[in-house]
Amino acid sequence: MSVIVRRGHCTRLLQRVVGRHYTTPTHNATGATPPKKPAPPKPSPVPRSPPSTPPQTRHEAHEGTSAINVPYNPPGGGPAGAAAGFTFTNSPVLDAILTTAIGLGAGKFIYFLFVGGIAYVAWYKKNVLDKIEDAFAAGYDPALELAKMHTINKSPTDDSSDDPLFDEDVPWTENLRRKEQDVIDHIVHGEEAGHYFMLLGPKGSGKGTMMFDSMAACNADGVSMCDAHPDLEVFRLRLGKALNFEFNEDTQTGLFQRRDPREGGPALDIERAMNKLEKVALRAAQKRGKPFVLIINNVHFFQNNDEGRNMLLQLQQKAEAWAASGILTMVFSSDDFWPFHVLRKTASRMHVLSIYDLDPHESMHASTRMRRHAARPPVEPEELKEALSLVSKSKDMMGMAKHLLEVEKAWLLSQIGLIPDCDDDVMDEQKWSSCSWLLLREFVKIRLEQEAEAGDSTEDLPLPSIPYWRCRQIMTRADFMEGTSLNVIAIDIQHNVRPDSNLILHAAREVVEEEGFEELLEGVRDRVDEIESLHRTRELTFKDLGKGDMVRLAVDKRGEELLETRDS
């Protein structure tokens, strides 16, 4: 059977013939059937074995001279044979409906997931700002809560015990209000906008206690405090605790987030926390009408290296910007002098408050009230004057004073003790120690002069003070001032140098007044000079000298005259 497909027509033909091949005659350009050629003689038939499998049904169609020879696949029947794949039903219509429904459902799920992610991120950012604002709300503050005295150490039942460690501990600030307390109250309560502040004073002078008293007076409303630390990772966590900020570590956007932002280091995290705090301070300043206060306590705990100085500069830049806008006041406190030098270089809105030890009159007043509050028996005024700078609430005041003085003297000697006939390995340490004792000896001399001028009334003598430039001359080394300032001396903003406390002055006086101290100090200095002289000595070696040869070295004192004669 043959089908002729004429030009411009399409015909579909279903053939089901097994074991036969069909050919379709082609057409010329005019569409006429070409004349038939005589058939060649048929060869004798060769017997064939029947095929084992019937050949696949083929569909052949011709259009012009093109031939199409593909397996037959009626429309709507789906893929045929092994390539049919998975189908839901046998109906193509139902399969199309189900596929469309599944596609629409997946699209809606992705859409709602995207919209939900945007809503969660917006809520999370708002919640972060709300949590930081709650950290400045009145009520609970971690630093203030720790400063409160939840328990009090009671004295032992045996009053005859002389162990000073079992004395009752009472807050001394309840018995005295210092003159600096009013200024600190204005700062902490947010009444001093437009500046940021630094509290500078020796250890134990009452900087932290006065700030805690101010925070307690306002119930920590608008105030937050954190302590500095040498490790910036630890400081990052402390700052986050003070600000109630988790540094985005509690977010659930990990599926849509980039790499962990903590890979940038603690400085980057602290900058992110400062940026969040700035947003909160901007929106809270309009409602409160006064700035927030952020206290960074003990900034001298930062390391005095590039990393620590860079952190101080980073905090200072924020403090300058916030002080200019009046939205937040930063307060730094330090026992050491080097942070002041670092901050002073770029400071334009910084005010510095020097906190000193109590003067003798304040000490007498506070000591009397402390003993009355601790239920201690009254003491004679002379005994109280002698021990007022050491201890005031122990049962045996003079015994406790001597105990503290021995401890302070032992610590001082362990830090800067002199070593006679020292080896060259400890030469640098002994140079620093000897120069420190030169300064302490000068303090003792000034105190002796004060006592000689005052006569019998020596209870109102202030701590000896020496200008910073004069201390450099006394120590003969400018770089030793920084090392000596660590709990030995205190420097104020007028660059006046004083002993760190009366206790240090008493301990240094005992050492200086010991027999043989001057000889020991001069011996150590001479030994340092000898070692340095040996280091500066150069050895001259003469070669090609035989036995009996001599080298003559002459020194001519007429060198200048010879030079003048030669030049003329």
Side-chain angles (χ1 to χ4, degrees):
M1 180 185 298
S2 62
V3 178
I4 299 176
V5 182
R6 297 185 179 275
R7 187 180 303 274
H9 297 276
C10 293
T11 308
R12 294 178 180 175
L13 180 63
L14 178 61
Q15 297 179 347
R16 295 180 180 178
V17 179
V18 179
R20 298 183 60 187
H21 298 276
Y22 295 88
T23 59
T24 303
T26 58
H27 302 272
N28 53 20
T30 60
T33 304
K36 297 183 180 180
K37 295 181 180 180
K42 295 182 180 181
S44 59
V46 179
R48 297 181 179 180
S49 60
S52 60
T53 56
Q56 186 179 6
T57 304
R58 310 295 291 179
H59 170 237
E60 297 184 7
H62 289 267
E63 182 175 358
T65 59
S66 300
I68 301 177
N69 187 8
V70 294
Y72 177 68
N73 185 13
F86 175 78
T87 58
F88 293 99
T89 64
N90 293 327
S91 173
V93 177
L94 292 179
D95 286 347
I97 294 174
L98 290 176
T99 303
T100 304
I102 293 174
L104 292 176
K108 289 183 179 180
F109 174 76
I110 295 175
Y111 172 76
F112 285 121
L113 182 64
F114 179 73
V115 173
I118 294 177
Y120 173 76
V121 171
W123 170 84
Y124 179 79
K125 290 183 177 181
K126 181 181 181 301
N127 185 54
V128 167
L129 300 182
D130 293 341
K131 288 168 60 179
I132 294 178
E133 188 171 1
D134 291 341
F136 289 87
Y140 172 79
D141 183 85
L144 180 61
E145 194 70 16
L146 289 175
K148 293 179 180 179
M149 300 193 63
H150 298 282
T151 59
I152 297 179
N153 298 327
K154 299 295 183 180
S155 299
T157 55
D158 184 10
D159 291 337
S160 62
S161 175
D162 294 332
D163 192 348
L165 299 179
F166 288 95
D167 290 331
E168 184 179 3
D169 192 8
V170 293
W172 66 271
T173 52
E174 294 183 1
N175 305 294
L176 176 69
R177 181 176 177 85
R178 299 189 54 164
K179 56 181 178 294
E180 298 92 350
Q181 188 69 57
D182 293 335
V183 179
I184 295 179
D185 286 346
H186 284 288
I187 296 172
V188 174
H189 296 169
E191 300 174 3
E192 292 289 339
H195 304 281
Y196 64 101
F197 300 87
M198 182 173 189
L199 306 183
L200 186 63
K203 177 188 63 176
S205 57
K207 302 184 296 300
T209 305
M210 287 190 289
M211 287 189 292
F212 282 128
D213 288 345
S214 298
M215 292 175 64
C218 66
N219 200 18
D221 183 15
V223 188
S224 185
M225 173 187 283
C226 75
D227 284 306
H229 193 273
D231 191 343
L232 295 185
E233 282 288 353
V234 177
F235 176 66
R236 182 190 76 88
L237 294 178
R238 291 182 177 180
L239 182 63
K241 179 181 179 182
L243 300 180
N244 198 17
F245 179 54
E246 299 292 338
F247 298 98
N248 293 347
E249 295 173 357
D250 57 343
T251 180
Q252 303 298 325
T253 58
L255 294 175
F256 309 98
Q257 200 172 9
R258 297 171 297 174
R259 296 185 307 174
D260 188 355
R262 287 186 58 186
E263 294 181 4
L268 181 60
D269 277 353
I270 293 171
E271 182 68 19
R272 291 167 54 231
M274 294 290 103
N275 292 336
K276 295 292 185 182
L277 176 59
E278 183 176 305
K279 295 180 180 180
V280 174
L282 282 171
R283 75 181 190 183
Q286 300 177 356
K287 297 184 296 183
R288 290 170 45 86
K290 57 182 181 179
F292 282 153
V293 178
L294 177 61
I295 302 173
I296 310 296
N297 195 25
N298 296 324
V299 294
H300 61 279
F301 285 163
F302 289 133
Q303 296 184 13
N304 190 8
N305 54 15
D306 291 340
E307 189 179 27
R309 289 188 290 267
N310 290 340
M311 178 52 60
L312 274 178
L313 179 61
Q314 183 177 351
L315 296 174
Q316 185 187 25
Q317 288 176 335
K318 289 295 184 180
E320 289 277 352
W322 294 339
S325 59
I327 60 174
L328 191 143
T329 301
M330 291 193 69
V331 180
F332 303 97
S333 71
S334 174
D335 297 349
D336 210 342
F337 195 67
W338 74 264
F340 170 73
H341 267 308
V342 175
L343 296 176
R344 187 178 182 275
K345 294 179 181 179
T346 56
S348 59
R349 297 180 177 270
M350 183 176 71
H351 287 184
V352 184
L353 301 178
S354 291
I355 309 298
Y356 302 103
D357 283 335
L358 298 178
D359 58 37
H361 178 72
E362 293 173 337
S363 300
M364 287 285 295
H365 177 72
S367 300
T368 304
R369 296 193 61 182
M370 287 170 67
R371 291 192 62 80
R372 188 183 303 117
H373 189 280
R376 300 302 184 196
V379 296
E380 297 296 329
E382 292 77 11
E383 186 179 1
L384 184 61
K385 291 178 182 179
E386 186 176 355
L388 60 88
S389 62
L390 303 178
V391 62
S392 299
K393 58 177 179 279
S394 62
K395 293 187 291 292
D396 184 7
M397 287 184 61
M398 292 308 300
M400 186 63 181
K402 292 178 180 179
H403 169 74
L404 292 179
L405 185 58
E406 291 175 358
V407 172
E408 194 72 11
K409 180 181 177 181
W411 178 87
L412 188 63
L413 292 176
S414 67
Q415 296 296 313
I416 56 174
L418 298 174
I419 303 175
D421 298 329
C422 61
D423 193 68
D424 58 349
D425 294 335
V426 295
M427 183 190 66
D428 293 336
E429 190 268 341
Q430 284 302 294
K431 288 168 63 177
W432 174 66
S433 299
S434 59
C435 292
S436 300
W437 280 112
L438 288 175
L439 182 60
L440 292 176
R441 184 181 64 177
E442 193 68 22
F443 284 134
V444 173
K445 289 181 180 179
I446 296 176
R447 171 47 61 93
L448 294 177
E449 294 174 359
Q450 290 176 344
E451 293 179 353
E453 294 176 359
D456 295 335
S457 58
T458 60
E459 65 274 5
D460 295 331
L461 295 179
L463 282 173
S465 175
I466 303 175
Y468 192 94
W469 62 268
R470 176 60 181 160
C471 293
R472 289 158 55 99
Q473 295 178 353
I474 294 173
M475 299 182 70
T476 68
R477 288 286 298 267
D479 54 339
F480 286 165
M481 285 295 298
E482 183 176 337
T484 310
S485 63
L486 183 60
N487 297 331
V488 177
I489 61 174
I491 309 173
D492 59 15
I493 58 174
Q494 286 81 25
H495 287 75
N496 292 323
V497 183
R498 295 179 175 86
D500 190 74
S501 63
N502 267 315
L503 195 59
I504 285 287
L505 181 61
H506 280 76
R509 181 172 181 175
E510 284 196 359
V511 176
V512 170
E513 292 180 348
E514 289 179 355
E515 184 179 357
F517 171 78
E518 293 293 338
E519 292 78 5
L520 176 61
L521 180 58
E522 293 301 324
V524 171
R525 290 173 58 83
D526 292 341
R527 177 59 179 167
V528 170
D529 291 339
E530 291 176 3
I531 296 175
E532 288 185 339
S533 177
L534 291 175
H535 289 173
R536 290 192 294 264
T537 301
R538 296 294 181 266
E539 180 180 348
L540 298 178
T541 302
F542 297 91
K543 298 182 178 180
D544 299 333
L545 295 179
K547 185 176 181 181
D549 294 341
M550 297 179 62
V551 177
R552 179 176 295 177
L553 180 63
V555 178
D556 195 342
K557 298 292 186 179
R558 300 175 302 165
E560 295 182 359
E561 298 177 1
L562 294 175
L563 289 176
E564 292 178 359
T565 303
R566 187 192 65 180
D567 295 338
S568 61

